Each structure stands twice: as structure tokens, then as C-alpha cells.
Amino acid sequence: MKKFYKKGIGAFIFVALLSFSPNYAQEVSEYEKLVNLFKDWRTFETPPLLNGAPDYTTERLRKDHKEFKALQFRLKNIEFESLSTKEQIDWHVVRAEMNGYDFNFRVLKPWQRDPAFYQTIWTYKSDVPAHEGPTNHSTLELWTYNFPLSQKDVTRLTKELKVIPPLLNQARKNLTGNARDLWIGGTNNFYEQNKVLKNLKNKIKSKKPALLRGLDSAIQANTSFIVWLEEKAKHKNGPSGIGKENYTWYQQNVHLVPFTWEEELALLQRELDRAWSSLSLEEQKNIALPPLVSANTPKEFDVLSARGVQRLMTFLKEKEVMYIKDNMEPALREHVGTFVPESNRNFFTIGMHYDPVPLYSHFYHWFDLAQMRDEPHESEIRRGPLLYNIFDSKSEGIATGVEEMFMHAGLYEDSPRSREIVWIMLAQRAARGIGSLYAHANIMTMEEAGEVHIKWTPRGWMRREPHLLKFEQHLYLRQPGYGTCYITGKYLVEKTITSRSKQLEKQGKVFILKEFFKEFNDAGNIPAELVRWEITGEKTITR
């Protein structure tokens, strides 16, 4: 007790002496306080371990909430008005993340309501800065491994697999929620994880006994967890949506999307109607043209995809749509896709086998991630992926937006029927977003939301692949706002173009698309409304 008392007095005297130093106030600016707080916040947000797995127990979360409130207090006490515009935007990024944590603690509670939260293995790299939807802090990114495994990777994989048994054991205690659709959907994630684990075991040679033991333990834990989930599912009968009021608060205070639930529904319905009517007009315009013919062999698809990449990159350069960087084409070529037999094609691969360029336009994602990797943002707060998918309105909004922007800028002058695919893709995104809104309002079940998705996607392209349908509607139920962000984000990007064009017109200047894209990309992967503020100076987000 005496040692603690002396230590406390010493610290008090040290801080008191510093406060009298004439240079102390200058040494730590308000922005430096924000950056230091951001570092402390991110450290806090990563949970401690319990038996080798991240601790999501109710006891730990409640205990740490006082520390969280202290972090919020520090943020509120930063002198906001003394910050520059860019620094104020960073302040709002930190505030949005903290609001996301608070919302998860109060409402979403993925560790309690959402079995898929405990999925560990990811076989693919996300096309946005982080995985879509709530994820735990111990993900195993299998796509980062090369086979056959090096000894270093054997050691790393063995270590990462050890998290699975204690995490799933903890999940049995934590998962006390009654969200039926989340429970059923999440159970499917573990059937898939079991397949991945068993396939992985088949790849591993018997000379790696420690790794094989780790795989066996993970498979056993995963299999047992599925049995437990199936048994508990019999008693799950509650809603999975968060309700209109919570949805609106979340969008406005976490993802910084300035709409209510009702306003999002109106916007998506408008875009659905516009996409269908535009498709009809496009078909009328092209009525005398021969239909598009899909690639029916691997060779035909390889030729189609190679030409598609070249068409897109040539267009972006020659039409001066974007500044072309050395990392852009390689980033695109890594994700051109492979041939899929007609009977196995889902919504996106159907369109891709007619003309991949509309989807390759959406792969703007990979340009974005290449810049994030090769040109780290000057702001430490914006440098890495934002938490809780807060980047969605920017990342998905611009990727969806450029499908139509590139079309209007002349991308399909030599392929008019490809424009039809652009409208079909827009209609599909609007339809699935409307379904997700009804699911979150608990007006529809996840299955009923999927029927909206199917019914309003043109040409029946969503009827052929139930796995994609279940994946998308399950994701959007797990992550509020993601199902609508393609359309709401697109609208916010278009609104930014409107504001910027009007400013330039007043200055007697011309709007140049490639200059806009440069400004937009250089702002970093922050909410679209914050990007608009930075580009135009129009402050729409309040404290």
C-alpha cells in the first residue's frame, strides 16, 4: 500500500511539473492527443486472451466498459475547433469506431447472437479493406499460405489452429441469444469450415505430426460445435433484425450514412425502378442487334477475360478517366476469374461469361487496395482498415458507382448490349438491399428477404444459385447497412460529384473525372460523407 501511495504521489508531482513547463502545451498538440488516443483505443479494442482465444465473455466486456467510457471522455475533451479540416475528419473516424463498439455492446452483440462470429478460417482475401461482417480477433487467413508449406508456415499454421478449440468452447457459453435466422445461417458457416479443415488435412503430409494433431483437434471441435448448434437451433425462435430505430442510429452514428431506414428504402426503390426501366429502354434500343453470346469453353473465357482487361485499361487511359499507375493492371489481372460451366454459374459469373467488363469495373476495389498497400495514407488513423466495416459506403459505393459512370463515359460504345448487364447488376444490388432492410425491420425473415432479391433481379439470374443468395442475405443480416451500402454509397459519391462540379462551375473551371478520382482515392477508405467533406469543404457531419 505504501509503495502504491509513493508511486501515485511521484506521478502526480511529475505531471504537475510538466504542466508548469512553458513548452509543454506546445509539445502535445490536440491532434497528437487524438493520434495517441487512437492508438490506445485500438489496443483496448483488441480483447485479452482466455485459454488461448480472444475473450468475449459477458463478464470481461462489462468489466472493460468503464475503460471504454474513459476513452470516449478523452475524445470529447479534445479541442475540436482547433483541429484542421482533415484532423476533424480523423476525429470523426475515431468517434464512429467508438460508436460502433458501443452499438455492438448494447445492441448487435455478435458474440452472443451470431454463431458466424466465431468462424475462424477465411479462404479468400476480401475485396474491401477488411472482411465483410463482424469477425472475431483470431481469424486464420488461409489464403496467405502457399502449398506445399514452408517450415515457417507449418509453425504459423499450427499456432493459429490452436485457437479454434478454446474459441468454440467459449462460444457455447457466450451464445445465449435467440436470433433464429442468424443461428441457422451461422451453422452453415461451420459446415463450410469443416470442409476446409478436412481438405486442408488432405494437403498436409504425414511428416508434420504437430500440424496434423492441430488439424484433428480443430476438426473435432468444429464437428462437435455443429452438433451443439443443431441441437440449440430447435429452441431458437426470435427475430434477427435490429429494428428500424436501431438501424437508423447505427447508420447515422457509426457508418455516417445520413439516412433513416425509411429514406434508404425510398432511395433503393427508386434505383430499382430506374434500373429496370433503363434496362427496358436499352433492350429497345438494341432490338436489332444480335444477343451477347456467352463463353462456353475455358479457352473462350480466357480470350474474353484477356480482352476485357485490355478494353477496360485502355478506356481508362485513353479517355483520361483515371491516372494509370503501375500497380493497377496487375491488381486487376489477379482477379479476372476462371471458366465456370453454364449449369454452375451464379449471378455474377453469368454476366461475366457474356462480358466481364461490367464486373471488372466493380473491381475498382483492387485498384483501391493496391493504393492502400503501396501508398500508405499520411494519417495513421486512416492508414489501415477501419473497424466495423465503416469503410463500406466509400469502398462499395465507388465500386458500384463506376459501373454506371464508366458506361456513361463511353466504355461500351463498341459493345452496346454490355450496357444491359450494367443495369441488371444495379437492379440486383437494389433488390437485395431492399430485402435486407425488411429483414432488419423484422418485417421479413431472411428467407423472405431472399425472395425479394430473387423476384426483382432481371432475367431470373438469381434463381440459379442458392448459395450466393444465402451468403448475401446472411451477411447483410449480420452487418447492418452492408446490404444497402452499394446503393447508398453510390448516391453519396454522386452527390460529391454534384457538389464538386457546382464549385468548379462557379470558378469557371471544368470538372475532370480523373482529377476527381485522384482526390477521392487520396482521402483514404473512410465513410463517403467524410470524403465529400474533405473534397468540397461541405461539412455535413455534426458532433
Side-chain angles (χ1 to χ4, degrees), residues 182-318:
L182 287 180
W183 198 276
I184 300 301
T187 302
N188 290 331
N189 287 47
F190 287 93
Y191 276 111
E192 292 301 316
Q193 183 159 285
N194 235 19
K195 291 179 185 177
V196 173
L197 284 166
K198 289 177 180 178
N199 288 338
L200 184 57
K201 185 178 178 181
N202 290 335
K203 282 186 176 183
I204 305 301
K205 296 180 180 179
S206 59
K207 294 179 181 179
K208 303 175 177 62
L211 178 54
L212 287 171
R213 285 196 299 271
L215 276 166
D216 285 337
S217 295
I219 291 169
Q220 182 180 358
N222 197 89
T223 302
S224 177
F225 189 58
I226 290 172
V227 173
W228 181 81
L229 287 172
E230 295 280 13
E231 178 60 32
K232 292 292 182 181
K234 299 174 184 177
H235 311 288
K236 302 299 177 182
N237 55 17
S240 295
I242 60 175
K244 295 180 183 179
E245 185 177 346
N246 281 327
Y247 184 95
T248 295
W249 189 94
Y250 185 76
Q251 286 293 79
Q252 294 180 351
N253 293 280
V254 180
H255 287 238
L256 306 186
V257 174
F259 305 127
T260 62
W261 182 93
E262 291 80 5
E263 288 168 337
E264 287 200 2
L265 180 61
L267 174 60
L268 267 69
Q269 186 62 56
R270 172 68 186 103
E271 285 292 277
L272 179 63
D273 294 340
R274 191 173 71 89
W276 268 85
S277 61
S278 296
L279 173 61
S280 297
L281 293 172
E282 207 72 56
E283 290 170 335
Q284 175 66 34
K285 178 183 175 183
N286 299 333
I287 196 167
L289 298 177
L292 289 172
V293 178
S294 66
N296 288 314
T297 67
K299 184 177 180 180
E300 288 177 358
F301 180 80
D302 289 345
V303 171
L304 191 67
S305 62
R307 287 177 179 171
V309 170
Q310 198 58 50
R311 281 169 57 205
L312 179 59
M313 296 307 301
T314 299
F315 164 77
L316 296 177
K317 182 178 181 180
E318 291 185 353

Side-chain angles (χ1 to χ4, degrees), residues 347-413:
F347 172 81
F348 292 108
T349 52
I350 290 171
M352 186 188 293
H353 282 66
Y354 283 118
D355 184 355
V357 176
L359 189 60
Y360 289 173
S361 298
H362 191 85
F363 287 0
Y364 187 103
H365 279 313
W366 301 111
F367 300 159
D368 200 12
L369 294 183
Q371 176 167 337
M372 188 176 178
R373 178 195 66 212
D374 299 337
E375 304 171 56
H377 201 279
E378 61 182 356
S379 165
E380 185 171 351
I381 292 171
R382 306 188 203 186
R383 199 167 295 159
L386 301 189
L387 304 179
Y388 316 119
N389 287 185
I390 291 171
F391 49 76
D392 61 355
S393 62
K394 197 258 189 183
S395 296
E396 299 290 10
I398 190 63
T400 304
V402 296
E403 295 171 17
E404 191 176 336
M405 291 179 206
F406 292 171
M407 177 181 71
H408 291 319
L411 177 55
Y412 303 112
E413 288 180 354

Side-chain angles (χ1 to χ4, degrees), residues 432-443:
R432 70 188 186 185
I434 290 172
S436 75
L437 282 169
Y438 285 131
H440 268 298
N442 293 314
I443 295 171

Side-chain angles (χ1 to χ4, degrees), residues 108 114 132-134 182 240-242 247 250 268 348 362 389 392 396 400 428-441 446 449-450 453 462 468-486:
L108 198 61
D114 180 9
E132 300 163 334
L182 287 180
S240 295
I242 60 175
Y247 184 95
Y250 185 76
L268 267 69
F348 292 108
H362 191 85
N389 287 185
D392 61 355
E396 299 290 10
T400 304
Q428 189 257 11
R429 292 193 175 95
R432 70 188 186 185
I434 290 172
S436 75
L437 282 169
Y438 285 131
H440 268 298
M446 189 172 76
H453 192 163
M462 278 304 303
L468 176 64
L469 178 70
K470 290 178 181 178
F471 167 80
E472 290 185 331
Q473 286 300 334
H474 180 223
L475 165 63
Y476 304 151
L477 195 55
R478 299 183 64 230
Q479 178 58 64
Y482 214 99
T484 59
C485 74
Y486 304 84

